[in-house]
Amino acid sequence: MPHGDIDIPEDIVTKAAFYANLLLTLESLLDDDQTNWITALSNASSLLYHSFLSFPLFFGVTETQTPVVNWSGFYLVSSLFPASSSGKAPKANILLLGPFNGRPACQQIRTVAGKGVCADAFVNSETVLVKDVESYPGHIACDGDTKSEIVIPLVVPSKIEGEPSRTVGVLDLDSVVLGTFDEEDRKGLEAIAELIVRSCEW
Ligand code: SME
């Protein structure tokens, strides 16, 4: 794919078709011999952000030209990050901000249930769909403009039979419009998260 070329074909008029196209585009972007998660997640967050921006039927921009989906990115378990040069290990039980597109965001999120949408999606390894962030207990407001949100866990299945899967982080999408995300988005984004997980070494 040429640099920055994110055109959604005109015959794509449903969310299901949008996500099918997004999955194929991401697959081609990640389909090489590089499996570093920082590189893959950097491109994935950019592709998602710009694809939402280029799909005015459901996302696009508001009347004031603000992107509807104003943040697209990842929080990852701290153990994935390199230790500091002094040898100090990263703090345990937190998610650290990873690759993203959008305004600057909170750098750390405690992995404790009830401490926000990302924490809940991570702790329960389940997607959390929030129609109105103000009514979500514990929601962390990184950007006061955000009105709705969806967070999808990144779950790495075990290669050994009988061993549990491992949740390594979350994919987080924010919107400035109430109720932006629905069950179609959940389905589409869970497939995107699965592709990301299997394209990287964790
Ligand atoms: N709202 C999230 C925090 C991350 S930002 O939205 C980028 C939460 O409640 O966990």
Side-chain angles (χ1 to χ4, degrees), residues 71 75 105-106 109 115-119 138-142 149 172 174:
W71 203 88
Y75 283 91
C106 347
I109 291 177
K115 295 289 175 193
V117 191
C118 293
H139 171 258
I140 300 168
C142 292
E149 178 165 2
D172 182 10
D174 293 348

Side-chain angles (χ1 to χ4, degrees), residues 19 29 35 50 56 67 73 79 87 128 137-138 146 149 192 202:
Y19 282 110
L29 202 56
T35 54
H50 290 282
S79 55
V128 182
T146 296
E149 178 165 2
I192 297 278
W202 300 99

Side-chain angles (χ1 to χ4, degrees), residues 1-101:
M1 188 173 76
H3 179 72
D5 182 10
I6 299 176
D7 286 330
I8 310 293
E10 272 177 21
D11 61 344
I12 290 185
V13 292
T14 63
K15 279 190 179 180
F18 168 76
Y19 282 110
N21 180 67
L22 187 55
L23 194 66
L24 282 177
T25 311
L26 185 61
E27 213 160 18
S28 66
L29 202 56
L30 302 182
D31 182 22
D32 58 23
D33 58 0
Q34 104 72 30
T35 54
N36 184 287
W37 63 263
I38 296 176
T39 304
L41 269 46
S42 299
N43 255 343
S45 59
S46 172
L47 178 69
L48 284 162
Y49 185 88
H50 290 282
S51 298
F52 286 117
L53 204 52
S54 305
F55 193 46
L57 285 179
F58 291 97
F59 308 105
V61 292
T62 64
E63 279 173 8
T64 57
Q65 302 304 304
T66 309
V68 168
V69 178
N70 59 332
W71 203 88
S72 155
F74 298 88
Y75 283 91
L76 291 312
V77 287
S78 57
S79 55
L80 288 176
F81 290 77
S84 68
S85 51
S86 63
K88 212 167 113 191
K91 276 192 243 170
N93 304 323
I94 57 165
L95 299 175
L96 290 177
L97 179 62
F100 72 96
N101 272 229

Side-chain angles (χ1 to χ4, degrees), residues 130-153:
V130 183
K131 300 272 184 193
D132 177 359
V133 295
E134 280 193 17
S135 64
Y136 192 88
H139 171 258
I140 300 168
C142 292
D143 181 338
D145 287 347
T146 296
K147 297 279 189 293
S148 58
E149 178 165 2
I150 187 166
V151 179
I152 303 96

